[in-house]
Amino acid sequence: MAIEPKGIQIDVLALDGKGHTVVLGTAGSGKTTLALLRAEKLSLLTGRPRVLVVTFNRALVAYMKNIQSFSKELNVTVEHFHLFALGYLKSIGKKTDYCIIPEEQKAKIIEAIVKAAHKKYPKESTFARPVQTFIEEIQFLERFGVASLEQYVEMERVGRADTYISRENRRFFFNVYEFYKIKRKEAGYLYDWDDIAIAVYNSLLEDTTDRRYAHIIVDEGQDFSPMMLKSLVKAAAPFGSFTFFGDVAQQIYGNALSWKSSGIHMQKIWRFESNYRNPREIALFAQDIAQHPQWEVKDADYVIPKVEIAAAGIKPMLVKYVDKKAEIDGIVRLLKNRSGRNVVVLKSRALVQIFLAALQGKGISAVEIKKEYGSRVIDGIYATTFQSVKGLEFDNVYIPFLNEEDFPDQETLESAESKKKVYEKSLKLFYVAATRARQGLVMTHSAALTSLFPGSSQNYDSANG
C-alpha cells in the first residue's frame, strides 16, 4: 500500500458494510488506497462476500492492481465500468459481442441526421447549430437517463449551462436523439458508451435474482454519469453497501454530480482534506490554480486541501523556450537520464505522438497511456493527454505548451457558447496534471504564457531554456 490509514481515514475504514457512504477528498489524499483497503475489509466479513471495486477506465484499473493484489480467497474484483456493464448484460442473456457503436460512427450518424433535418427544414435555425452541440446534448440525455420529451422539457439541464437551448427547442434535439437510436440499431449496435448504463439499470430494476456483489466501491466517482452510479447502486445487494470515493475538484467531464439524481442516499459526507502525494510546494501551487478567478464553481462538495502535513520538496519550475521545437528538445534532454516514473502531459493524442517520436529519435523508450491502457505504470517514461492522466501518479510531471495560443485549445474556445466554461474545464485539467507529481513538476512555454497560469503565485520558480 502507498500509505497507512491515518486520522479520518481510519474512521472511514471502520464503517460497517451497510448503506451508502460518500467520501470526497482532495488530490493525493489517499482515496484510491482507502477504496482498496475498504474492499479488503468488507471481503473479510462473515461469509466472505463478493466485493466489486469499479473505476472509470482500464488505465486506472491497472494502477489500482499495481497498488494492491487481492488473493482469490478475498472475492474482490477490480474492473472498469464498461467491463462490469457488459459482464452483467451477458449474465442475463443479452447480446454483448460488437454491441457498442464506435464513437466515430456515432458522430457520423448524428451528423447525417442533423444535415438531413437542416435540408428539410432550412428555416429552423436549431439545425444550423454545430453538430458537436447535438452530440454533447445527446450525451447529456444518455448520462441522465432522460426517457421522454416531457421529462427533458421540464428538467434543469445540469452541467449544460454553457450551451443554451430553449425549452421550446428541446424537441428538436430529442427528435435527433430518438432517430439516432433507430439508425444505430439499423447499423447493428444496441448501445453506445454512455447509454449502456441505462440498459444495465433498467435490467436491474426487473432482475429479482440475488445480486452478484454484496458491496460495490466506486473510485474516481466524479467522472461517472448519474446513470452509471444509479446502475451500480442498484447492482449492490440490498443488505450490503455502496461506497463512493471522488474529488469534485477533478471533475472534468461536466456531469455536475447530483447525489439525488445518482440514487445515492447517505447520512454524511466524509472529507479527506490532507494531501499525502505532493510535496508542499506542488500542493501550494495546485491551490493557486484552483484559486484562479476563472475557476468560479466551488459548491458545497468542494474539498479545500490542507498542505501543512506535506513534506518539503522543490518548487515547480516554469521554463521559457524560444519556440515549440526547443520546448520538445528541452524536455527530451531532461528525460534522457531521469529515473523513476515520468510523464509528459499534452492536450491531444496528436501531440503525444509528436513527443513519442522525438523521444524515440533520441533512443529513449517511451509508452503512450490511453484510457484503455491496461498495463501497470512502472519506472519509465510515458506520454498521455490531460484526460488520461487522471487518477495516476508519477515521480515527475512535465506539462509543455502552456502558451496563450494553445491552452485552452483555441478551436474549442472559438466554437464554445460559453468561454467561461472552457476556461474552467482547462483549469481543472491543469490542476489534475499538476497534482499527479510526487517529486517534480516542470512546465514550459515558448510564446505568451497562458492567462490560466497563476502568474502571481509565489510557489514556482522560472527560468529560460
Side-chain angles (χ1 to χ4, degrees), residues 35-46:
L36 296 172
L37 283 174
R38 180 160 172 77
E40 181 176 341
K41 178 177 180 290
L42 292 173
S43 73
L44 292 172
L45 294 175
T46 303

Side-chain angles (χ1 to χ4, degrees), residues 262-336:
S262 301
I264 300 172
H265 305 281
M266 70 288 180
Q267 297 294 321
K268 173 183 179 180
I269 295 179
W270 298 81
R271 300 177 186 276
F272 290 177
E273 299 173 333
S274 298
N275 184 332
Y276 297 101
R277 176 192 298 137
N278 309 131
R280 184 179 298 115
E281 291 76 6
I282 292 177
L284 288 170
F285 180 76
Q287 278 191 352
D288 294 334
I289 296 174
Q291 294 304 314
H292 193 287
Q294 291 286 6
W295 191 341
E296 292 186 352
V297 180
K298 303 285 196 308
D299 61 22
D301 292 333
Y302 178 74
V303 178
I304 300 174
K306 293 181 179 178
V307 300
E308 61 269 17
I309 66 155
I314 57 174
K315 282 187 177 183
M317 177 65 71
L318 175 68
V319 184
K320 183 175 183 180
Y321 290 93
V322 294
D323 55 33
K324 290 181 179 178
K325 182 180 183 303
E327 281 189 76
I328 296 173
D329 292 343
I331 291 178
V332 168
R333 284 196 301 272
L334 290 173
L335 287 168
K336 188 169 185 179

Side-chain angles (χ1 to χ4, degrees), residues 112-369:
I113 294 170
V114 173
K115 284 185 176 179
H118 193 200
K119 186 176 181 180
K120 186 174 182 179
Y121 306 104
K123 293 184 179 180
E124 176 49 58
S125 60
T126 299
F127 296 117
R129 299 182 74 162
V131 172
Q132 189 61 31
T133 301
F134 285 86
I135 293 173
E136 292 174 357
E137 192 68 8
I138 287 173
Q139 287 177 334
F140 163 79
L141 293 170
E142 294 174 327
R143 290 171 179 176
F144 280 80
V146 179
S148 68
L149 176 59
E150 292 73 22
Q151 178 188 359
Y152 182 33
V153 170
E154 292 298 321
M155 73 184 298
E156 294 298 325
R157 295 168 57 254
V158 180
R160 293 286 289 155
D162 57 323
T163 305
Y164 177 73
I165 299 173
S166 69
R167 294 185 188 274
E168 180 183 352
N169 286 344
R170 292 185 190 184
R171 58 194 172 98
F172 297 119
F173 286 86
F174 198 80
N175 287 341
V176 172
Y177 175 40
E178 293 285 86
F179 202 28
Y180 153 68
K181 287 188 288 185
I182 293 171
K183 290 294 185 182
R184 182 182 70 192
K185 189 173 182 180
E186 290 176 355
Y189 298 100
L190 299 176
Y191 322 106
D192 60 40
W193 292 112
D194 287 303
D195 75 352
I196 193 172
I198 300 174
V200 171
Y201 178 73
N202 289 335
S203 296
L204 284 164
L205 288 177
E206 300 176 358
D207 189 348
T208 59
T209 62
D210 291 341
R211 297 298 191 238
R212 177 177 178 81
Y213 297 105
H215 308 283
I216 294 181
I217 299 170
V218 171
D219 187 48
E220 296 293 339
Q222 71 277 355
D223 290 338
F224 284 66
S225 72
M227 281 310 306
M228 289 178 181
L229 293 174
K230 285 179 74 171
S231 66
L232 290 166
V233 169
K234 189 62 66 174
F239 60 82
S241 68
F242 175 85
T243 309
F244 175 104
F245 287 88
D247 179 0
V248 175
Q250 295 189 52
Q251 185 180 29
I252 61 176
Y253 290 100
N255 290 324
L257 184 68
S258 162
W259 304 118
K260 182 179 179 180
S261 67
S262 301
I264 300 172
H265 305 281
M266 70 288 180
Q267 297 294 321
K268 173 183 179 180
I269 295 179
W270 298 81
R271 300 177 186 276
F272 290 177
E273 299 173 333
S274 298
N275 184 332
Y276 297 101
R277 176 192 298 137
N278 309 131
R280 184 179 298 115
E281 291 76 6
I282 292 177
L284 288 170
F285 180 76
Q287 278 191 352
D288 294 334
I289 296 174
Q291 294 304 314
H292 193 287
Q294 291 286 6
W295 191 341
E296 292 186 352
V297 180
K298 303 285 196 308
D299 61 22
D301 292 333
Y302 178 74
V303 178
I304 300 174
K306 293 181 179 178
V307 300
E308 61 269 17
I309 66 155
I314 57 174
K315 282 187 177 183
M317 177 65 71
L318 175 68
V319 184
K320 183 175 183 180
Y321 290 93
V322 294
D323 55 33
K324 290 181 179 178
K325 182 180 183 303
E327 281 189 76
I328 296 173
D329 292 343
I331 291 178
V332 168
R333 284 196 301 272
L334 290 173
L335 287 168
K336 188 169 185 179
N337 298 309
R338 183 74 76 178
S339 60
R341 291 174 292 177
N342 301 270
V343 67
V344 183
V345 185
L346 301 137
K347 72 176 183 180
S348 70
R349 296 274 289 274
L351 287 174
V352 168
Q353 294 305 314
I354 290 173
F355 247 96
L356 289 175
L359 288 163
Q360 291 163 3
K362 295 294 183 180
I364 302 171
S365 178
V367 176
E368 178 181 5
I369 295 178

Side-chain angles (χ1 to χ4, degrees), residues 426-446:
S426 298
L427 280 165
K428 290 181 177 182
L429 291 169
F430 191 10
Y431 174 91
V432 168
T435 54
R436 301 307 94 199
R438 295 180 60 88
Q439 295 178 11
L441 173 62
V442 177
M443 302 158 288
T444 70
H445 67 116
S446 56

